[in-house]
mmCIF file of all heavy atoms in Angstrom:
data_model
loop_
_atom_site.group_PDB
_atom_site.id
_atom_site.type_symbol
_atom_site.label_atom_id
_atom_site.label_comp_id
_atom_site.label_asym_id
_atom_site.label_seq_id
_atom_site.Cartn_x
_atom_site.Cartn_y
_atom_site.Cartn_z
ATOM 1 N N GLN A 66 0.832 -1.199 -0.006
ATOM 2 C CA GLN A 66 -0.019 0.006 -0.013
ATOM 3 C C GLN A 66 0.847 1.285 0.007
ATOM 4 O O GLN A 66 0.429 2.302 -0.537
ATOM 5 C CB GLN A 66 -0.940 0.057 1.213
ATOM 6 C CG GLN A 66 -1.974 -1.062 1.244
ATOM 7 C CD GLN A 66 -1.445 -2.386 1.776
ATOM 8 O OE1 GLN A 66 -0.439 -2.437 2.476
ATOM 9 N NE2 GLN A 66 -2.086 -3.481 1.447
ATOM 10 N N LEU A 67 2.016 1.235 0.646
ATOM 11 C CA LEU A 67 2.890 2.416 0.759
ATOM 12 C C LEU A 67 3.685 2.622 -0.494
ATOM 13 O O LEU A 67 3.927 1.672 -1.253
ATOM 14 C CB LEU A 67 3.778 2.286 1.958
ATOM 15 C CG LEU A 67 3.106 2.133 3.322
ATOM 16 C CD1 LEU A 67 4.050 1.682 4.376
ATOM 17 C CD2 LEU A 67 2.491 3.481 3.728
ATOM 18 N N ARG A 68 4.097 3.861 -0.799
ATOM 19 C CA ARG A 68 4.910 4.187 -1.976
ATOM 20 C C ARG A 68 6.097 5.091 -1.526
ATOM 21 O O ARG A 68 6.071 5.672 -0.482
ATOM 22 C CB ARG A 68 4.105 4.885 -3.041
ATOM 23 C CG ARG A 68 2.922 4.090 -3.558
ATOM 24 C CD ARG A 68 3.406 2.893 -4.410
ATOM 25 N NE ARG A 68 2.263 2.135 -4.948
ATOM 26 C CZ ARG A 68 1.797 1.057 -4.365
ATOM 27 N NH1 ARG A 68 2.317 0.585 -3.239
ATOM 28 N NH2 ARG A 68 0.794 0.382 -4.880
ATOM 29 N N GLU A 69 7.048 5.265 -2.444
ATOM 30 C CA GLU A 69 8.107 6.183 -2.259
ATOM 31 C C GLU A 69 7.581 7.582 -2.027
ATOM 32 O O GLU A 69 6.591 7.953 -2.621
ATOM 33 C CB GLU A 69 9.073 6.172 -3.438
ATOM 34 C CG GLU A 69 9.846 4.878 -3.657
ATOM 35 C CD GLU A 69 11.011 4.741 -2.724
ATOM 36 O OE1 GLU A 69 11.736 5.706 -2.449
ATOM 37 O OE2 GLU A 69 11.255 3.598 -2.256
ATOM 38 N N GLY A 70 8.281 8.384 -1.226
ATOM 39 C CA GLY A 70 7.901 9.748 -1.016
ATOM 40 C C GLY A 70 6.920 9.906 0.132
ATOM 41 O O GLY A 70 6.989 9.214 1.132
ATOM 42 N N LYS A 71 5.968 10.830 -0.063
ATOM 43 C CA LYS A 71 5.054 11.224 1.038
ATOM 44 C C LYS A 71 3.825 10.266 1.099
ATOM 45 O O LYS A 71 3.146 10.100 0.113
ATOM 46 C CB LYS A 71 4.580 12.640 0.781
ATOM 47 C CG LYS A 71 3.686 13.227 1.816
ATOM 48 C CD LYS A 71 3.290 14.656 1.456
ATOM 49 C CE LYS A 71 2.381 15.267 2.454
ATOM 50 N NZ LYS A 71 2.066 16.650 2.114
ATOM 51 N N ASN A 72 3.594 9.720 2.294
ATOM 52 C CA ASN A 72 2.444 8.862 2.560
ATOM 53 C C ASN A 72 1.741 9.442 3.793
ATOM 54 O O ASN A 72 2.313 9.523 4.870
ATOM 55 C CB ASN A 72 2.864 7.424 2.855
ATOM 56 C CG ASN A 72 3.520 6.757 1.635
ATOM 57 O OD1 ASN A 72 2.829 6.093 0.878
ATOM 58 N ND2 ASN A 72 4.799 6.945 1.461
ATOM 59 N N LYS A 73 0.508 9.840 3.601
ATOM 60 C CA LYS A 73 -0.287 10.486 4.701
ATOM 61 C C LYS A 73 -1.231 9.457 5.289
ATOM 62 O O LYS A 73 -2.137 8.929 4.631
ATOM 63 C CB LYS A 73 -1.017 11.674 4.135
ATOM 64 C CG LYS A 73 -1.681 12.526 5.171
ATOM 65 C CD LYS A 73 -2.279 13.754 4.528
ATOM 66 C CE LYS A 73 -2.998 14.607 5.535
ATOM 67 N NZ LYS A 73 -3.668 15.773 4.899
ATOM 68 N N LEU A 74 -1.059 9.159 6.591
ATOM 69 C CA LEU A 74 -1.882 8.199 7.314
ATOM 70 C C LEU A 74 -2.814 8.918 8.257
ATOM 71 O O LEU A 74 -2.382 9.817 8.997
ATOM 72 C CB LEU A 74 -1.001 7.243 8.135
ATOM 73 C CG LEU A 74 -1.692 6.255 9.064
ATOM 74 C CD1 LEU A 74 -2.538 5.261 8.257
ATOM 75 C CD2 LEU A 74 -0.710 5.538 9.932
ATOM 76 N N MET A 75 -4.116 8.577 8.192
ATOM 77 C CA MET A 75 -5.088 9.132 9.103
ATOM 78 C C MET A 75 -5.919 7.999 9.725
ATOM 79 O O MET A 75 -6.319 7.093 8.998
ATOM 80 C CB MET A 75 -6.020 10.082 8.376
ATOM 81 C CG MET A 75 -5.343 11.360 7.867
ATOM 82 S SD MET A 75 -6.300 12.232 6.658
ATOM 83 C CE MET A 75 -5.888 11.297 5.177
ATOM 84 N N VAL A 76 -6.112 8.069 11.039
ATOM 85 C CA VAL A 76 -6.963 7.067 11.738
ATOM 86 C C VAL A 76 -7.879 7.881 12.642
ATOM 87 O O VAL A 76 -7.452 8.823 13.324
ATOM 88 C CB VAL A 76 -6.107 6.110 12.561
ATOM 89 C CG1 VAL A 76 -6.932 5.069 13.263
ATOM 90 C CG2 VAL A 76 -5.006 5.459 11.730
ATOM 91 N N TRP A 77 -9.152 7.494 12.649
ATOM 92 C CA TRP A 77 -10.130 8.177 13.528
ATOM 93 C C TRP A 77 -11.234 7.190 13.895
ATOM 94 O O TRP A 77 -11.322 6.099 13.339
ATOM 95 C CB TRP A 77 -10.661 9.453 12.893
ATOM 96 C CG TRP A 77 -11.579 9.259 11.698
ATOM 97 C CD1 TRP A 77 -12.915 9.182 11.696
ATOM 98 C CD2 TRP A 77 -11.181 9.066 10.317
ATOM 99 N NE1 TRP A 77 -13.410 8.997 10.417
ATOM 100 C CE2 TRP A 77 -12.317 8.912 9.549
ATOM 101 C CE3 TRP A 77 -9.949 9.026 9.678
ATOM 102 C CZ2 TRP A 77 -12.297 8.722 8.177
ATOM 103 C CZ3 TRP A 77 -9.927 8.856 8.278
ATOM 104 C CH2 TRP A 77 -11.066 8.719 7.557
ATOM 105 N N MET A 78 -12.099 7.606 14.785
ATOM 106 C CA MET A 78 -13.219 6.758 15.219
ATOM 107 C C MET A 78 -14.535 7.508 15.165
ATOM 108 O O MET A 78 -14.553 8.746 15.278
ATOM 109 C CB MET A 78 -12.977 6.249 16.649
ATOM 110 C CG MET A 78 -11.853 5.286 16.811
ATOM 111 S SD MET A 78 -11.821 4.448 18.395
ATOM 112 C CE MET A 78 -13.124 3.232 18.186
ATOM 113 N N THR A 79 -15.630 6.732 14.971
ATOM 114 C CA THR A 79 -16.931 7.314 15.064
ATOM 115 C C THR A 79 -17.751 6.518 16.081
ATOM 116 O O THR A 79 -17.458 5.348 16.333
ATOM 117 C CB THR A 79 -17.678 7.200 13.666
ATOM 118 O OG1 THR A 79 -17.664 5.858 13.233
ATOM 119 C CG2 THR A 79 -16.969 8.111 12.639
ATOM 120 N N ASP A 80 -18.732 7.188 16.652
ATOM 121 C CA ASP A 80 -19.589 6.464 17.635
ATOM 122 C C ASP A 80 -20.715 5.714 16.897
ATOM 123 O O ASP A 80 -20.729 5.648 15.635
ATOM 124 C CB ASP A 80 -20.120 7.431 18.713
ATOM 125 C CG ASP A 80 -20.997 8.525 18.089
ATOM 126 O OD1 ASP A 80 -21.432 8.412 16.956
ATOM 127 O OD2 ASP A 80 -21.264 9.508 18.828
ATOM 128 N N GLU A 81 -21.683 5.209 17.623
ATOM 129 C CA GLU A 81 -22.765 4.450 17.034
ATOM 130 C C GLU A 81 -23.609 5.257 16.076
ATOM 131 O O GLU A 81 -24.169 4.710 15.128
ATOM 132 C CB GLU A 81 -23.698 3.902 18.176
ATOM 133 C CG GLU A 81 -22.998 2.835 19.051
ATOM 134 C CD GLU A 81 -22.658 1.587 18.304
ATOM 135 O OE1 GLU A 81 -23.536 1.014 17.617
ATOM 136 O OE2 GLU A 81 -21.515 1.118 18.386
ATOM 137 N N GLU A 82 -23.683 6.558 16.264
ATOM 138 C CA GLU A 82 -24.493 7.428 15.382
ATOM 139 C C GLU A 82 -23.685 7.890 14.161
ATOM 140 O O GLU A 82 -24.219 8.628 13.351
ATOM 141 C CB GLU A 82 -25.033 8.627 16.135
ATOM 142 C CG GLU A 82 -26.161 8.339 17.089
ATOM 143 C CD GLU A 82 -25.672 7.768 18.417
ATOM 144 O OE1 GLU A 82 -24.629 8.265 18.947
ATOM 145 O OE2 GLU A 82 -26.290 6.836 18.924
ATOM 146 N N GLY A 83 -22.391 7.555 14.097
ATOM 147 C CA GLY A 83 -21.556 7.995 13.003
ATOM 148 C C GLY A 83 -20.856 9.313 13.256
ATOM 149 O O GLY A 83 -20.250 9.857 12.330
ATOM 150 N N THR A 84 -20.928 9.849 14.433
ATOM 151 C CA THR A 84 -20.285 11.128 14.757
ATOM 152 C C THR A 84 -18.832 10.893 15.049
ATOM 153 O O THR A 84 -18.448 10.008 15.830
ATOM 154 C CB THR A 84 -20.945 11.746 16.051
ATOM 155 O OG1 THR A 84 -22.332 11.843 15.814
ATOM 156 C CG2 THR A 84 -20.351 13.120 16.334
ATOM 157 N N GLU A 85 -17.964 11.687 14.392
ATOM 158 C CA GLU A 85 -16.529 11.531 14.591
ATOM 159 C C GLU A 85 -16.133 11.946 16.040
ATOM 160 O O GLU A 85 -16.597 12.976 16.558
ATOM 161 C CB GLU A 85 -15.761 12.361 13.591
ATOM 162 C CG GLU A 85 -14.247 12.169 13.671
ATOM 163 C CD GLU A 85 -13.462 12.963 12.669
ATOM 164 O OE1 GLU A 85 -14.001 13.302 11.566
ATOM 165 O OE2 GLU A 85 -12.298 13.221 12.932
ATOM 166 N N LEU A 86 -15.233 11.179 16.635
ATOM 167 C CA LEU A 86 -14.746 11.459 17.987
ATOM 168 C C LEU A 86 -13.348 12.099 17.832
ATOM 169 O O LEU A 86 -12.374 11.412 17.575
ATOM 170 C CB LEU A 86 -14.673 10.179 18.829
ATOM 171 C CG LEU A 86 -15.979 9.387 18.895
ATOM 172 C CD1 LEU A 86 -15.756 8.043 19.517
ATOM 173 C CD2 LEU A 86 -17.008 10.215 19.697
ATOM 174 N N GLU A 87 -13.287 13.421 17.988
ATOM 175 C CA GLU A 87 -12.065 14.172 17.784
ATOM 176 C C GLU A 87 -10.909 13.704 18.641
ATOM 177 O O GLU A 87 -9.782 13.722 18.220
ATOM 178 C CB GLU A 87 -12.312 15.665 18.020
ATOM 179 C CG GLU A 87 -13.010 16.386 16.880
ATOM 180 C CD GLU A 87 -12.222 16.429 15.600
ATOM 181 O OE1 GLU A 87 -10.990 16.562 15.698
ATOM 182 O OE2 GLU A 87 -12.807 16.258 14.537
ATOM 183 N N GLU A 88 -11.210 13.229 19.852
ATOM 184 C CA GLU A 88 -10.134 12.842 20.786
ATOM 185 C C GLU A 88 -9.404 11.588 20.308
ATOM 186 O O GLU A 88 -8.315 11.261 20.785
ATOM 187 C CB GLU A 88 -10.645 12.691 22.223
ATOM 188 C CG GLU A 88 -11.682 11.571 22.399
ATOM 189 C CD GLU A 88 -13.119 11.994 22.189
ATOM 190 O OE1 GLU A 88 -13.390 12.996 21.517
ATOM 191 O OE2 GLU A 88 -14.004 11.299 22.754
ATOM 192 N N TYR A 89 -9.992 10.885 19.357
ATOM 193 C CA TYR A 89 -9.350 9.628 18.841
ATOM 194 C C TYR A 89 -8.754 9.820 17.451
ATOM 195 O O TYR A 89 -8.524 8.858 16.734
ATOM 196 C CB TYR A 89 -10.377 8.497 18.816
ATOM 197 C CG TYR A 89 -10.867 8.102 20.207
ATOM 198 C CD1 TYR A 89 -12.108 7.540 20.385
ATOM 199 C CD2 TYR A 89 -10.057 8.238 21.343
ATOM 200 C CE1 TYR A 89 -12.565 7.153 21.614
ATOM 201 C CE2 TYR A 89 -10.522 7.857 22.585
ATOM 202 C CZ TYR A 89 -11.794 7.313 22.728
ATOM 203 O OH TYR A 89 -12.223 6.945 23.934
ATOM 204 N N ARG A 90 -8.522 11.038 17.001
ATOM 205 C CA ARG A 90 -7.962 11.296 15.679
ATOM 206 C C ARG A 90 -6.473 11.254 15.721
ATOM 207 O O ARG A 90 -5.852 11.819 16.591
ATOM 208 C CB ARG A 90 -8.454 12.668 15.195
ATOM 209 C CG ARG A 90 -7.873 13.042 13.793
ATOM 210 C CD ARG A 90 -8.573 14.284 13.285
ATOM 211 N NE ARG A 90 -9.666 13.922 12.393
ATOM 212 C CZ ARG A 90 -9.560 13.422 11.169
ATOM 213 N NH1 ARG A 90 -8.367 13.176 10.689
ATOM 214 N NH2 ARG A 90 -10.627 13.212 10.446
ATOM 215 N N PHE A 91 -5.865 10.562 14.715
ATOM 216 C CA PHE A 91 -4.432 10.438 14.586
ATOM 217 C C PHE A 91 -4.078 10.746 13.115
ATOM 218 O O PHE A 91 -4.768 10.286 12.211
ATOM 219 C CB PHE A 91 -3.973 9.005 14.927
ATOM 220 C CG PHE A 91 -2.507 8.731 14.660
ATOM 221 C CD1 PHE A 91 -1.546 9.079 15.577
ATOM 222 C CD2 PHE A 91 -2.096 8.175 13.449
ATOM 223 C CE1 PHE A 91 -0.209 8.850 15.313
ATOM 224 C CE2 PHE A 91 -0.792 7.913 13.178
ATOM 225 C CZ PHE A 91 0.171 8.280 14.094
ATOM 226 N N GLN A 92 -3.024 11.544 12.953
ATOM 227 C CA GLN A 92 -2.596 11.893 11.613
ATOM 228 C C GLN A 92 -1.060 11.935 11.594
ATOM 229 O O GLN A 92 -0.499 12.574 12.499
ATOM 230 C CB GLN A 92 -3.189 13.185 11.146
ATOM 231 C CG GLN A 92 -2.935 13.527 9.710
ATOM 232 C CD GLN A 92 -3.730 14.712 9.213
ATOM 233 O OE1 GLN A 92 -4.860 14.939 9.678
ATOM 234 N NE2 GLN A 92 -3.202 15.451 8.305
ATOM 235 N N ARG A 93 -0.466 11.327 10.556
ATOM 236 C CA ARG A 93 0.985 11.384 10.483
ATOM 237 C C ARG A 93 1.437 11.221 9.039
ATOM 238 O O ARG A 93 0.808 10.455 8.257
ATOM 239 C CB ARG A 93 1.567 10.220 11.302
ATOM 240 C CG ARG A 93 3.066 10.228 11.319
ATOM 241 C CD ARG A 93 3.566 9.302 12.380
ATOM 242 N NE ARG A 93 4.992 9.085 12.299
ATOM 243 C CZ ARG A 93 5.641 8.172 12.947
ATOM 244 N NH1 ARG A 93 5.031 7.381 13.742
ATOM 245 N NH2 ARG A 93 6.933 8.050 12.780
ATOM 246 N N THR A 94 2.487 11.939 8.654
ATOM 247 C CA THR A 94 3.045 11.808 7.339
ATOM 248 C C THR A 94 4.295 10.922 7.436
ATOM 249 O O THR A 94 5.174 11.189 8.255
ATOM 250 C CB THR A 94 3.427 13.187 6.749
ATOM 251 O OG1 THR A 94 2.244 13.958 6.669
ATOM 252 C CG2 THR A 94 4.043 13.056 5.359
ATOM 253 N N LEU A 95 4.339 9.902 6.598
ATOM 254 C CA LEU A 95 5.464 8.949 6.578
ATOM 255 C C LEU A 95 6.213 9.217 5.270
ATOM 256 O O LEU A 95 5.694 9.151 4.201
ATOM 257 C CB LEU A 95 4.956 7.532 6.587
ATOM 258 C CG LEU A 95 3.983 7.164 7.702
ATOM 259 C CD1 LEU A 95 3.220 5.918 7.347
ATOM 260 C CD2 LEU A 95 4.731 6.930 8.960
ATOM 261 N N TRP A 96 7.508 9.522 5.404
ATOM 262 C CA TRP A 96 8.358 9.752 4.259
ATOM 263 C C TRP A 96 9.205 8.515 4.012
ATOM 264 O O TRP A 96 9.867 8.037 4.914
ATOM 265 C CB TRP A 96 9.295 10.981 4.493
ATOM 266 C CG TRP A 96 8.559 12.258 4.504
ATOM 267 C CD1 TRP A 96 8.057 12.926 5.582
ATOM 268 C CD2 TRP A 96 8.220 13.025 3.335
ATOM 269 N NE1 TRP A 96 7.406 14.087 5.198
ATOM 270 C CE2 TRP A 96 7.494 14.153 3.827
ATOM 271 C CE3 TRP A 96 8.398 12.886 1.982
ATOM 272 C CZ2 TRP A 96 6.991 15.136 2.961
ATOM 273 C CZ3 TRP A 96 7.923 13.872 1.115
ATOM 274 C CH2 TRP A 96 7.206 14.975 1.610
ATOM 275 N N ILE A 97 9.092 7.969 2.810
ATOM 276 C CA ILE A 97 9.794 6.741 2.446
ATOM 277 C C ILE A 97 10.745 6.947 1.302
ATOM 278 O O ILE A 97 10.362 7.552 0.293
ATOM 279 C CB ILE A 97 8.770 5.630 2.099
ATOM 280 C CG1 ILE A 97 7.856 5.384 3.323
ATOM 281 C CG2 ILE A 97 9.503 4.347 1.683
ATOM 282 C CD1 ILE A 97 6.744 4.392 3.087
ATOM 283 N N ASP A 98 12.004 6.502 1.512
ATOM 284 C CA ASP A 98 13.067 6.615 0.466
ATOM 285 C C ASP A 98 13.891 5.343 0.514
ATOM 286 O O ASP A 98 14.827 5.225 1.281
ATOM 287 C CB ASP A 98 13.949 7.839 0.730
ATOM 288 C CG ASP A 98 15.040 8.008 -0.307
ATOM 289 O OD1 ASP A 98 14.931 7.433 -1.412
ATOM 290 O OD2 ASP A 98 15.993 8.734 -0.052
ATOM 291 N N THR A 99 13.504 4.373 -0.266
ATOM 292 C CA THR A 99 14.229 3.109 -0.293
ATOM 293 C C THR A 99 15.296 3.054 -1.392
ATOM 294 O O THR A 99 16.088 2.132 -1.450
ATOM 295 C CB THR A 99 13.263 1.919 -0.508
ATOM 296 O OG1 THR A 99 12.628 2.036 -1.768
ATOM 297 C CG2 THR A 99 12.245 1.848 0.617
ATOM 298 N N ALA A 100 15.277 4.017 -2.308
ATOM 299 C CA ALA A 100 16.220 4.062 -3.426
ATOM 300 C C ALA A 100 17.485 4.839 -3.053
ATOM 301 O O ALA A 100 17.422 5.893 -2.432
ATOM 302 C CB ALA A 100 15.568 4.670 -4.643
ATOM 303 N N ALA A 101 18.654 4.272 -3.388
ATOM 304 C CA ALA A 101 19.926 4.959 -3.149
ATOM 305 C C ALA A 101 20.012 6.216 -4.080
ATOM 306 O O ALA A 101 19.450 6.207 -5.186
ATOM 307 C CB ALA A 101 21.083 4.020 -3.431
ATOM 308 N N PRO A 102 20.785 7.234 -3.666
ATOM 309 C CA PRO A 102 20.916 8.388 -4.505
ATOM 310 C C PRO A 102 21.708 8.026 -5.806
ATOM 311 O O PRO A 102 22.500 7.080 -5.802
ATOM 312 C CB PRO A 102 21.664 9.388 -3.677
ATOM 313 C CG PRO A 102 22.241 8.601 -2.542
ATOM 314 C CD PRO A 102 21.430 7.358 -2.386
ATOM 315 N N GLU A 103 21.461 8.807 -6.843
ATOM 316 C CA GLU A 103 22.210 8.602 -8.076
ATOM 317 C C GLU A 103 23.540 9.349 -7.987
ATOM 318 O O GLU A 103 23.519 10.581 -7.801
ATOM 319 C CB GLU A 103 21.361 9.096 -9.247
ATOM 320 C CG GLU A 103 21.928 8.780 -10.595
ATOM 321 C CD GLU A 103 21.003 9.221 -11.727
ATOM 322 O OE1 GLU A 103 19.820 8.875 -11.689
ATOM 323 O OE2 GLU A 103 21.474 9.943 -12.595
ATOM 324 N N ILE A 104 24.646 8.696 -8.168
ATOM 325 C CA ILE A 104 25.974 9.303 -8.028
ATOM 326 C C ILE A 104 26.624 9.450 -9.387
ATOM 327 O O ILE A 104 26.610 8.492 -10.208
ATOM 328 C CB ILE A 104 26.877 8.498 -7.076
ATOM 329 C CG1 ILE A 104 26.200 8.450 -5.693
ATOM 330 C CG2 ILE A 104 28.270 9.081 -7.031
ATOM 331 C CD1 ILE A 104 26.918 7.585 -4.718
#
């Protein structure tokens, strides 16, 4: 699922009525660089 460069992950929760619960929101940007630089 992940790719080189910027990957934005978001996780949150909703209650039984579908209302988002702000206190359970998580967001993070994952930077991935598996390729060596070109010399």
Side-chain angles (χ1 to χ4, degrees):
Q66 296 82 22
L67 299 165
R68 299 290 180 265
E69 292 283 320
K71 181 178 180 179
N72 294 267
K73 188 175 178 183
L74 174 67
M75 293 164 278
V76 182
W77 69 94
M78 291 192 79
T79 56
D80 62 14
E81 294 293 310
E82 287 81 39
T84 306
E85 184 178 335
L86 304 170
E87 282 294 322
E88 63 271 23
Y89 295 151
R90 178 169 267 286
F91 173 84
Q92 187 170 328
R93 183 167 170 191
T94 300
L95 307 160
W96 290 94
I97 299 175
D98 180 18
T99 62
E103 189 177 307
I104 299 175

